[in-house]
Amino acid sequence: MSDFATTLKQIRLGKGMSQEEFAAFLGTSKQNISRYESGEVSPKISTAAKIADKLGITIAQLNGDNSPAASASDDDAWTLRENERDDPDRKALFMLSKYGSAKDIRQAAALIDALRATNPDFYDGDDPA
């Protein structure tokens, strides 16, 4: 059984929920919860991110990593995403970094800044289409 399967089941049992109740809470089917918990299938990363968000934990924690470093870096990534999301010139960055790590977001932001520095017309905030 995968760390994801074990962790998901532990969380469900900790909440005192049946698979059906947990599925309703997460917005999925009982069959999906059963297959996830048995390790029969693993969710796509986007689905895992939605599950982690709904549970109020990080993807790393959902996959069994409870180290303080994993939580801190994910919290940092969340803060960076929120800052980038509010900057209209970096909307594309937000869309690309929605599930990225803090390091990924910083690297993408630095790349955009470098492109702007060498070519002021690189992106002016208007729709290029």
Side-chain angles (χ1 to χ4, degrees), residues 5 19 30-42:
Q19 286 184 339
K30 177 189 179 295
Q31 291 77 18
N32 280 341
I33 297 299
S34 176
R35 293 190 332 223
Y36 294 157
E37 287 184 0
S38 70
E40 181 183 331
V41 296
S42 295

Side-chain angles (χ1 to χ4, degrees), residues 17-33:
M17 294 180 161
S18 68
Q19 286 184 339
E20 189 171 319
E21 292 168 328
F22 198 52
F25 172 73
L26 294 176
T28 189
S29 68
K30 177 189 179 295
Q31 291 77 18
N32 280 341
I33 297 299

Side-chain angles (χ1 to χ4, degrees), residues 45-95:
I45 189 70
S46 60
T47 301
K50 289 175 186 174
I51 290 171
D53 186 52
K54 184 74 176 178
L55 294 171
I57 61 175
T58 66
I59 294 175
Q61 290 169 320
L62 187 57
N63 283 310
D65 184 355
N66 291 315
S67 68
S71 297
S73 64
D74 283 348
D75 289 344
D76 190 26
W78 183 88
T79 301
L80 286 167
R81 274 192 293 275
E82 287 304 301
N83 291 340
E84 299 305 327
R85 183 175 66 100
D86 292 338
D87 180 347
D89 288 340
R90 293 187 182 215
K91 187 86 172 168
L93 173 61
F94 170 73
M95 297 306 292

